[in-house]
Amino acid sequence: MTEGTYWLEHAWLGDYVEPGVTVEVADGRITAVRTGTDAPPPGAEILRGLTLPGLANAHSHAFHRALRGTVQVGSGTFWTWREVMYSVADRLTPETYHALARAVYAEMALAGITCVGEFHYLHHDRGGTRYADPNAMGEALIEAAAEAGIRITLLDTAYLSSGFGEPPTAHQLRFSDGSAEAWAERCSVLKERDHARIGAAIHSVRAVPAEGLATVARWVEERRAPLHVHLSEQTAENDACLAAHGVTPTRLLADHGVLGPRTTGVHNTHLTEEDIRLLGGSGTGTCMCPTTERDLADGIGPAVALQRAGSPLSLGSDSHAVIDLLEEARAMELDERLRTRTRGHWTAAALLRAATEDGHAALGWPEAGAIEPGRAADLTTLALDSVRTAGPPPRLGAETAVFAASAADVRHTVVGGRHVVRDGAHALVPDVPRALADAIAALSG
């Protein structure tokens, strides 16, 4: 259903929870929001529980989902984890990537995610050989999102070197177009669709030579598209950038015109005070991925200082150690409590905005992320009667969502006025666990 009427038992309307809200939908957009409707209008779809705007997962590497449960034990660092990740990337084809991404995006829909930002750098065949369609891998991801029923921003990623002045490794040949100009030529062929938008990404300052940064920035500006970049995730990256250029990664991006309101830095973990001022002063966003950052032992980024400086916050599940945007929101606050030994750095409403409206804005979907007339009819409904959520009064629904609920409490997911998840079951992918198991088994040979 892309048009009709929904009755929301309780709805989070940005700053408060309102009982009895009627939402009218036409052509996938909200046309009217009426409060104070104690009973469902005749013929309305009833969403019992707490309904939020659809959640935006602003940072995803779909194929990393195949690593869950296999890399969480034992010793090591981000860099040793990366070698295992490369071994999975080596085995993917457009067909197997489509199957895996379809299942991963269906898992996201079950978790209430209605839009994903796919940070996509696995472009070519083994050894860097181009497919007959140079964008076969990206097209597989776009089609996978359509089949899973969610929106996608394909953040086509420039990845040209293994380090400052170093050529790609054997694993990284699949990622590289050879030059920033060749990257721009290839991804310019990608077309947007109703459910898909095209953005860009700079993998990191170590993976795109300084002279290529402005090429990517110009491509983005010409298309008014979003631009994302892994930024200062590891101290080793900072040290190498200082050795090569005499400046931090943030300053290098600023000097080459990369920072600005269209840009989102992912992680932004190990920053100087000047870095924070540069990011906030330019309106560059920050995407925090707390479950991945703690899984990879990256560290806790200065999210509070970044937001105070003017950097909008969004959230991502990144490597998909878990897929749960409510956990990401909760972890933002709880990690900061551990770091500072004080509580109350964000309100629940502020954390939900990072997971909804600000996340959609970072992905180039400014019309989504709020339950308001004119917005996309993307809705996520949480049960308020589960063992996690039972007890608090509905008026504290935002606090319950952030500090008690989990992805397991998602009851309904609506995208563009269409039920994608109904009563906890995916309408388009009937057996998501089996789809995940089969897709991951295909990669293990």
Side-chain angles (χ1 to χ4, degrees), residues 195-286:
H195 80 290
R197 292 186 179 166
I198 308 301
I202 293 165
H203 179 273
S204 56
V205 294
R206 70 177 185 274
V208 176
E211 61 270 19
L213 297 174
T215 300
V216 181
R218 282 195 301 272
W219 189 94
V220 165
E221 188 60 32
E222 289 169 2
R223 288 158 181 77
R224 303 180 65 79
L227 171 61
H228 288 214
V229 53
H230 290 136
L231 181 57
S232 290
E233 182 178 5
Q234 293 288 321
T235 55
E237 176 184 293
N238 291 357
D239 294 342
C241 188
L242 284 165
H245 297 288
V247 295
T248 66
T250 300
R251 169 54 73 182
L252 187 67
L253 294 175
D255 290 347
H256 288 82
V258 174
L259 302 186
R262 295 188 185 283
T263 301
T264 297
V266 181
H267 303 304
N268 292 0
T269 306
H270 302 285
L271 303 178
T272 67
E273 291 185 4
E274 183 195 23
D275 292 340
I276 292 170
R277 288 194 296 271
L278 285 169
L279 292 167
S282 63
T284 301
T286 294

Side-chain angles (χ1 to χ4, degrees), residues 241-441:
C241 188
L242 284 165
H245 297 288
V247 295
T248 66
T250 300
R251 169 54 73 182
L252 187 67
L253 294 175
D255 290 347
H256 288 82
V258 174
L259 302 186
R262 295 188 185 283
T263 301
T264 297
V266 181
H267 303 304
N268 292 0
T269 306
H270 302 285
L271 303 178
T272 67
E273 291 185 4
E274 183 195 23
D275 292 340
I276 292 170
R277 288 194 296 271
L278 285 169
L279 292 167
S282 63
T284 301
T286 294
C287 179
M288 302 297 289
C289 308
T291 65
T292 292
E293 289 151 5
R294 69 191 184 200
D295 182 52
L296 298 181
D298 287 343
I300 301 171
V304 172
L306 282 161
Q307 188 169 53
R308 286 175 178 165
S311 179
L313 298 181
S314 55
L315 298 167
S317 62
D318 192 358
S319 69
H320 314 311
V322 298
I323 293 177
D324 187 339
L325 261 288
L326 301 174
E327 172 61 23
E328 304 294 346
R330 175 162 55 247
M332 279 260 291
E333 170 65 24
L334 299 188
D335 286 356
E336 192 67 16
R337 292 181 185 185
L338 284 175
R339 191 179 70 82
T340 64
R341 291 174 290 177
T342 60
R343 307 175 79 211
H345 303 279
W346 290 279
T347 64
L351 293 169
L352 284 180
R353 278 193 292 275
T356 55
E357 189 165 18
D358 290 346
H360 281 97
L363 294 177
W365 295 88
E367 72 272 33
I371 303 175
E372 297 173 351
R375 299 285 194 133
D378 298 354
L379 307 171
T380 295
T381 302
L382 305 176
L384 291 178
D385 56 0
S386 77
V387 293
R388 289 165 294 277
T389 61
R395 64 181 175 79
L396 296 179
E399 288 75 12
T400 301
V402 171
F403 293 108
S406 78
D409 296 308
V410 173
R411 181 173 283 166
H412 305 291
T413 305
V414 175
V415 182
R418 178 177 69 162
H419 249 108
V420 175
V421 173
R422 187 188 297 271
D423 295 321
H426 201 290
L428 305 176
V429 183
D431 190 342
V432 178
R434 173 52 56 189
L436 285 163
D438 288 348
I440 293 168

Side-chain angles (χ1 to χ4, degrees), residues 11-182:
W12 181 68
L13 299 181
D15 294 305
Y16 60 94
V17 173
E18 180 76 19
V21 175
T22 297
V23 173
E24 294 181 2
V25 176
D27 297 324
R29 296 290 186 105
I30 296 171
T31 58
V33 177
R34 298 198 304 276
T35 59
T37 53
D38 296 335
E45 289 263 8
I46 298 173
L47 303 183
R48 294 208 177 273
L50 172 68
T51 297
L52 312 170
L55 304 178
N57 187 352
H59 190 65
S60 162
H61 302 293
F63 75 91
H64 291 191
R65 173 62 178 81
L67 297 171
R68 184 188 297 176
T70 66
V71 293
Q72 272 73 38
V73 296
S75 61
T77 65
F78 167 86
W79 306 102
T80 54
W81 168 89
R82 189 177 71 161
E83 292 304 311
V84 182
M85 179 269 288
Y86 283 160
S87 71
V88 173
D90 285 344
R91 297 194 292 272
L92 284 163
T93 66
E95 294 74 24
T96 57
Y97 204 5
H98 170 268
L100 177 59
R102 175 179 177 268
V104 173
Y105 296 154
E107 181 183 357
M108 290 185 192
L110 289 173
I113 293 164
T114 57
C115 184
V116 61
E118 185 61 39
F119 199 103
H120 167 56
Y121 54 81
L122 185 55
H123 303 305
H124 308 301
D125 203 350
R126 295 172 184 85
T129 302
R130 272 45 173 177
Y131 291 105
D133 175 358
N135 288 302
M137 288 297 223
E139 292 291 346
L141 293 166
I142 290 171
E143 182 59 27
E147 293 180 15
I150 69 172
R151 306 182 193 274
I152 184 172
T153 297
L154 188 74
L155 297 162
D156 196 286
T157 304
Y159 196 134
L160 306 173
S161 61
S162 62
F164 297 95
E166 298 295 329
T169 66
H171 291 300
Q172 295 165 346
L173 290 173
R174 297 196 75 177
F175 311 159
S176 177
D177 290 295
S179 69
E181 291 74 20

